[in-house]
Amino acid sequence: MNKTLSVIVIIILIAGGFWFFMRADDTQTPSTKQTPSTAQTTPVTKQPSTSSATQTPSSQTQTNNRVVFNIKGTKFAYDKKELTVTEGDMVTINFESADGFHDWVIDEFNAATKQVDVGVPTSVTFVADKVGVFEYYCSVGNHRAMGMVGKLTVVAKQ
Ligand SMILES: [Cu+2]
């Protein structure tokens, strides 16, 4: 009787060992690893609405700006070498000679004063309807070549 009991125990032990072995083996078989779902929620980058653009007030009436320049001519230069106006301005040049016989001419606007001597003021008015830099000059003799010139800059209307 004692013998069979020990045999049974041995069998149980073996079986248990086996079972244990199997279990261990079982746990080793990798359970399907769960790959972490890296479904990244890409943030929807919303574009900042820049629709509120700077709006220039459109309530400006279309009356021409009047711009007046007083210019003196000498041998052989103008006392103002650079003038700046805005596109559409109505420009008046009051010209006077301080020394010699001169005038004030700008070809691009078909504008020219009379040729005058000292003490005879003259003037010309034109609309600066072109944007750019234009040369004005004295058309008397070779005064232009001698440097009796200037620049009129017409800047675009905003
Ligand atoms: Cu001149």
Side-chain angles (χ1 to χ4, degrees), residues 33-131:
K33 277 183 185 168
Q34 282 205 328
T35 45
S37 66
T38 48
Q40 285 181 336
T41 46
T42 42
V44 182
T45 46
K46 275 187 181 173
Q47 299 244 327
S49 63
T50 49
S51 57
S52 59
T54 50
Q55 283 187 326
T56 47
S58 57
S59 56
Q60 281 194 331
T61 44
Q62 203 57 32
T63 48
N64 283 341
N65 242 4
R66 280 219 72 164
V67 184
V68 178
F69 295 106
N70 299 311
I71 300 180
K72 280 195 171 77
T74 56
K75 294 174 182 172
F76 297 100
Y78 293 109
D79 63 347
K80 291 183 178 68
K81 297 188 187 314
E82 284 188 25
L83 311 176
T84 300
V85 299
T86 302
E87 178 187 11
D89 282 354
M90 186 173 283
V91 182
T92 294
I93 305 294
N94 293 323
F95 178 68
E96 196 177 345
S97 172
D99 184 7
F101 193 63
H102 308 289
D103 64 1
W104 188 97
V105 178
I106 191 159
D107 289 334
E108 287 82 0
F109 300 102
N110 289 315
T113 68
K114 285 183 283 187
Q115 298 185 337
V116 294
D117 219 319
V118 180
V120 185
T122 184
S123 71
V124 65
T125 297
F126 61 95
V127 175
D129 55 2
K130 300 185 189 79
V131 173

